[in-house]
C-alpha cells in the first residue's frame, strides 16, 4: 500500500489550534453576561466549572468552595465508601436551616436552668421540646428578661401555642426568608407532619446566603456536590451510599467510557436510582456519547488524554484532541438535550470560552484547582516558591496508594509487576484560594462572551466563529518579545 492509497485521515484540533473571532457586540459590560448553564438534563450551575474527581483535587473543603462560587466539586472515589459518603455529607451539611446543633430544653425545666444553658451554649434562644420530640415553643433571652423568678417553669414564659410560628421541614430558604421578614422574626423552627422538631432557619442564615448570591445550591439552600463511582467492583454499593448521603449528581468515572462495562454500569445505576442525575464518561467520539446517552446518562464527560497529568495518548497512542472531541460529542448530544462536560486540558480562562463555544455546557478542571489552598494535595516549597502536589489518577503513585488502601499485598505485587501508568505525578505552582482562581477563570469567560455579543452560554455557542491558527499565530497570541517584570 502506498501513502496515496491510505484512507484520508481527519484532522483533529485542540484549544491552542483555534481562536474565536470577535463580533459586533451589544454587551456593554462583562458584568451583564449570565454564566449559568446546564450541568445535567435537570441540574443547573451558575458558573460552568467543575473541579475534577482526583485525590489531589477534590474533597469536601474544595467542593464547598466551588459550590460557593457557583460551580461544582466532584468528590473522588479513591477512598472507602464510608469516607466518600462522609465527604459528601460534609458538603451537604446545611449552612442554613436544619442545623445539627439545635439547642433544646424541656417544658418543665426552670428559668434558672434555661439561663445557664443559654450561657453555656452562648446562644440567644432555646427550642422547647416535649418527650416525643414535639416542638412546644421557643424561649429567647428576651422572654427571660421579664422573669424575675428562677424557679418559674419554661412552659410558662416561652412563646408557644398559637403565637409559635413554624414551617415544614421541606421549606425552601427563599420561603423562609419571606416568612421571617413578614412576621418580623429571627428564628423559624422546622417541623415534620407530626410536629416534631427537625431544624431551624435563622435570620443570620438568610444573611449568610446573601453573602454568596451566586452559590450553587439545592432547593433547601444546601450547597451542591457531585461524587464519583467506578464501573466495576463496589460501584453499586458506593452509588447507594452516595445517594443516601444526598449527593446531587453521581459521576461514572472511567478512562474508557465507551467500554461495555462503563455502559453496563451507567445502565445499572440509572435503573436502580432513576431519580439520581448521572454524568458518564469519558468518551471522545460521537458514537461514545450516543451509547452513553442510550444507557441513561444525563450528561456526558468528554476527554481522552487531554489532562495535564495524562500520558494516555503517549503510552497507548489513543485519544482525540479536545476541541474536536467536544464538537463531535456536542453535535449528537445537543439533539438529545444532554449537556457535555469538557474534561481536561484547560490551561487558561480562554480555553473555557473555547470549550463552551464548541458546544460544551461545563468544563472540568484538575491541575489548576490542585494548586489552590482548598485542595487536599500536600504543599511543598522549592527554591522559596510554593507548590502543591498533583498526580494523574492512573499514575503509578495513585495506583499504589489505592492498593495500599485496600491493604492487599497481592494487589500490590500484581500492580508492581503489571501496572502501565497512564498518568504522571508532579507539582503545580500555588495559585491562592478557589475563590481567587474562579474569579480569574469566570472573569476571562465573561470577557470572552462580551467579545462575542453573547449574554448567555447559549448565545456564545450560537455566535461562535472559530479560526484555525498557525504556530506563529499562537506565538503572537501569548505575551512575547518582552522582558517580563519579576
Ligand atoms: P486537567 O488538565 O484539568 O485534567 O488537569 C483533569 C482531567 O485529567 C483526567 N485524568 C487523567 N487522564 N491519566 C489520564 O489519561 C491519568 O492518570 C489521569 N488523571 C486524571 C481526568 O479526566 C481529569 O478530570
Amino acid at each position: 500500500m502506498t501513502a496515496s492509497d491510505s484512507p484520508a485521515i481527519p484532522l483533529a484540533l485542540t484549544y491552542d489550534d483555534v481562536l474565536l473571532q470577535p463580533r459586533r457586540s451589544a454587551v456593554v459590560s462583562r458584568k451583564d453576561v449570565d454564566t449559568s448553564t446546564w450541568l445535567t438534563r435537570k441540574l443547573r450551575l451558575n458558573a460552568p466549572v467543575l473541579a475534577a474527581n482526583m485525590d489531589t483535587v477534590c474533597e469536601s473543603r474544595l467542593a464547598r468552595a466551588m459550590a460557593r462560587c457557583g460551580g461544582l466539586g466532584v468528590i473522588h472515589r479513591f477512598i472507602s465508601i464510608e469516607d466518600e459518603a462522609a465527604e459528601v455529607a460534609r458538603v451537604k451539611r446545611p449552612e442554613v436551616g436544619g442545623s445539627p446543633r439545635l439547642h433544646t430544653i424541656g417544658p418543665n425545666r426552670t428559668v434558672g436552668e434555661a439561663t445557664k444553658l443559654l450561657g453555656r451554649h452562648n446562644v440567644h434562644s432555646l427550642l422547647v421540646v416535649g418527650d416525643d420530640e414535639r416542638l412546644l415553643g421557643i424561649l429567647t433571652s428576651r422572654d427571660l428578661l421579664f422573669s424575675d423568678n428562677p424557679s418559674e417553669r419554661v412552659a410558662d414564659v416561652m412563646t408557644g401555642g398559637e403565637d409559635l410560628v413554624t414551617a415544614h421541614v421541606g421549606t425552601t430558604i427563599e420561603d423562609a426568608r419571606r416568612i421571617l421578614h413578614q412576621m418580623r422574626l429571627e428564628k423559624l423552627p422546622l417541623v415534620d407532619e407530626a410536629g416534631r422538631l427537625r431544624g431551624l432557619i435563622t435570620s443570620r442564615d438568610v444573611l449568610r446566603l446573601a453573602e454568596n448570591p451566586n452559590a450553587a445550591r439545592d432547593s433547601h439552600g444546601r450547597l451542591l456536590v457531585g461524587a464519583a463511582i467506578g464501573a466495576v467492583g463496589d460501584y453499586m454499593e458506593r452509588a447507594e451510599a452516595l445517594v443516601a448521603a444526598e449527593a446531587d449528581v453521581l459521576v461514572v468515572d472511567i478512562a474508557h467510557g465507551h467500554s461495555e462495562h462503563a455502559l453496563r454500569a451507567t445502565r445499572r445505576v440509572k435503573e436502580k436510582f432513576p431519580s439520581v442525575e448521572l454524568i458518564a464518561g469519558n468518551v471522545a467520539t460521537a458514537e461514545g456519547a450516543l451509547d452513553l446517552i442510550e444507557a441513561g446518562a444525563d450528561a456526558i464527560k468528554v476527554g481522552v488524554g487531554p489532562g495535564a497529568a495524562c500520558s494516555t495518548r503517549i503510552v497507548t497512542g489513543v485519544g482525540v484532541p479536545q476541541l474536536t472531541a467536544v464538537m463531535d460529542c456536542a453535535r449528537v448530544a445537543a439533539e438529545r438535550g444532554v449537556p457535555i462536560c469538557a474534561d481536561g486540558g484547560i490551561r487558561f480562562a480562554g480555553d473555557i470560552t473555547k470549550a463552551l463555544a464548541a458546544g460544551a455546557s461545563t468544563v472540568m478542571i484538575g491541575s489548576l484547582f490542585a494548586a489552590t489552598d482548598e485542595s487536599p494535595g500536600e504543599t511543598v516549597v522549592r527554591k522559596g516558591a510554593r507548590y502543591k502536589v498533583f498526580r494523574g489518577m492512573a499514575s503509578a503513585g495513585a495506583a499504589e496508594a489505592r492498593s495500599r488502601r485496600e491493604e492487599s499485598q497481592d494487589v500490590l505485587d500484581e500492580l508492581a509487576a503489571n501496572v502501565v501508568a497512564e498518568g504522571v505525578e508532579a507539582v503545580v505552582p500555588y495559585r491562592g484560594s478557589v475563590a481567587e482562581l474562579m474569579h480569574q477563570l469566570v472573569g476571562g469567560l465573561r470577557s470572552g462572551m462580551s467579545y462575542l455579543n453573547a449574554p448567555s452560554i447559549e448565545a456564545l455557542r450560537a455566535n461562535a466563529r472559530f479560526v484555525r491558527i498557525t504556530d506563529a499565530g499562537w506565538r503572537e497570541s501569548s505575551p512575547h518579545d518582552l522582558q517580563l517584570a519579576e
Side-chain angles (χ1 to χ4, degrees):
M1 188 162 101
T2 66
S4 57
D5 295 330
S6 55
I9 298 178
L11 179 73
L13 303 174
T14 193
Y15 301 126
D16 289 359
D17 294 320
V18 297
L19 284 170
L20 286 156
Q21 286 183 339
R23 303 193 73 133
R24 178 172 175 157
S25 180
V27 177
V28 180
S29 156
R30 56 187 226 167
K31 284 197 218 88
D32 296 337
V33 306
D34 174 2
T35 58
S36 68
T37 190
W38 290 105
L39 169 67
T40 63
R41 288 179 206 258
K42 289 199 192 131
L43 279 180
R44 278 185 81 77
L45 295 178
N46 289 325
V49 185
L50 276 60
N53 43 286
M54 301 171 72
D55 68 356
T56 49
V57 177
C58 192
E59 292 182 348
S60 53
R61 186 166 171 229
L62 192 126
R64 286 176 83 85
M66 283 300 290
R68 286 197 182 113
C69 296
L72 184 92
V74 181
I75 307 289
H76 70 88
R77 65 186 170 89
F78 305 103
I79 42 180
S80 69
I81 293 179
E82 298 71 40
D83 287 348
E84 190 179 353
E87 288 296 297
V88 167
R90 256 173 225 133
V91 185
K92 294 310 289 181
R93 192 164 53 207
E95 291 191 303
V96 292
S99 158
R101 289 183 58 75
L102 291 170
H103 301 289
T104 59
I105 191 165
N108 296 322
R109 307 283 289 279
T110 65
V111 161
E113 288 172 307
T115 308
K116 277 195 201 136
L117 262 185
L118 288 173
R120 189 181 320 145
H121 297 307
N122 193 22
V123 291
H124 298 293
S125 65
L126 297 169
L127 295 159
V128 185
V129 176
D131 290 339
D132 49 3
E133 289 184 72
R134 272 165 47 99
L135 179 70
L136 303 174
I138 184 165
L139 184 75
T140 66
S141 32
R142 212 171 344 150
D143 296 322
L144 298 180
L145 272 183
F146 304 105
S147 166
D148 47 14
N149 176 7
S151 37
E152 207 171 3
R153 282 171 70 235
V154 162
D156 297 332
V157 289
M158 70 183 190
T159 303
E162 286 186 359
D163 294 333
L164 178 66
V165 180
T166 64
H168 190 261
V169 65
T171 302
T172 65
I173 202 74
E174 264 313 301
D175 287 340
R177 192 182 63 78
R178 241 186 327 273
I179 299 168
L180 287 168
H181 177 67
Q182 273 166 8
M183 314 290 284
R184 300 288 186 273
L185 293 170
E186 289 203 346
K187 304 217 156 47
L188 183 65
L190 304 177
V191 293
D192 64 13
E193 301 75 25
R196 287 177 298 226
L197 177 63
R198 288 294 175 254
L200 176 72
I201 296 180
T202 67
S203 51
R204 185 143 18 114
D205 292 336
V206 172
L207 288 178
R208 203 175 299 148
L209 270 191
E211 282 169 17
N212 294 303
N214 235 2
R217 296 185 187 279
D218 64 20
S219 58
H220 303 303
R222 299 174 308 175
L223 298 171
L224 295 188
V225 63
I229 55 173
V232 291
D234 64 11
Y235 73 95
M236 287 302 282
E237 274 170 78
R238 198 172 277 271
E240 186 161 10
L242 297 170
V243 170
E246 299 189 85
D248 297 283
V249 56
L250 296 187
V251 178
V252 176
D253 160 44
I254 157 163
H256 187 18
H258 200 193
S259 59
E260 292 301 336
H261 52 283
L263 295 171
R264 189 172 53 243
T266 303
R267 209 172 299 116
R268 282 190 68 201
V269 172
K270 203 61 200 178
E271 267 164 25
K272 176 119 192 253
F273 309 102
S275 56
V276 78
E277 290 296 282
L278 188 64
I279 303 178
N282 278 17
V283 293
T285 61
E287 306 92 80
L290 275 179
D291 283 345
L292 283 175
I293 292 170
E294 184 106 320
D298 300 300
I300 305 294
K301 203 144 70 75
V302 174
V304 175
C310 302
S311 55
T312 295
R313 294 181 188 167
I314 307 298
V315 172
T316 68
V318 175
V320 178
Q322 186 67 343
L323 190 82
T324 296
V326 168
M327 283 180 152
D328 287 352
C329 294
R331 202 175 41 247
V332 294
E335 289 164 10
R336 288 153 184 84
V338 176
I340 292 290
C341 171
D343 175 16
I346 300 288
R347 296 188 297 148
F348 310 106
D351 296 341
I352 302 179
T353 318
K354 292 176 189 176
L356 301 180
S361 294
T362 56
V363 298
M364 178 176 263
I365 301 179
S367 58
L368 298 184
F369 287 117
T372 60
D373 289 318
E374 291 90 342
S375 78
E378 252 173 79
T379 301
V380 291
V381 177
R382 288 190 183 169
K383 292 189 186 153
R386 254 169 103 179
Y387 296 84
K388 292 201 79 169
V389 168
F390 174 59
R391 65 181 179 196
M393 293 319 305
S395 63
E400 197 185 309
R402 240 175 358 250
S403 62
R404 272 192 208 296
R405 180 174 60 75
E406 282 152 20
E407 288 174 351
S408 150
Q409 190 56 46
D410 290 352
V411 179
L412 254 180
D413 292 344
E414 198 189 318
L415 263 173
N418 293 329
V419 93
V420 179
E422 289 183 28
V424 298
E425 294 163 70
V427 291
V428 281
Y430 171 71
R431 281 179 180 271
S433 68
V434 162
E436 284 159 2
L437 177 58
M438 282 291 276
H439 177 74
Q440 292 298 324
L441 296 177
V442 178
L445 167 65
R446 285 177 174 279
S447 233
M449 290 169 73
S450 67
Y451 273 106
L452 265 75
N453 189 29
S456 66
I457 303 276
E458 288 73 22
L460 171 66
R461 208 172 289 148
N463 294 351
R465 287 183 313 204
F466 281 105
V467 288
R468 278 174 59 190
I469 61 171
T470 60
D471 281 351
W474 176 247
R475 276 199 304 281
E476 184 188 65
S477 304
S478 316
H480 54 85
D481 299 315
L482 305 169
Q483 196 109 47
L484 288 180
E486 289 288 301

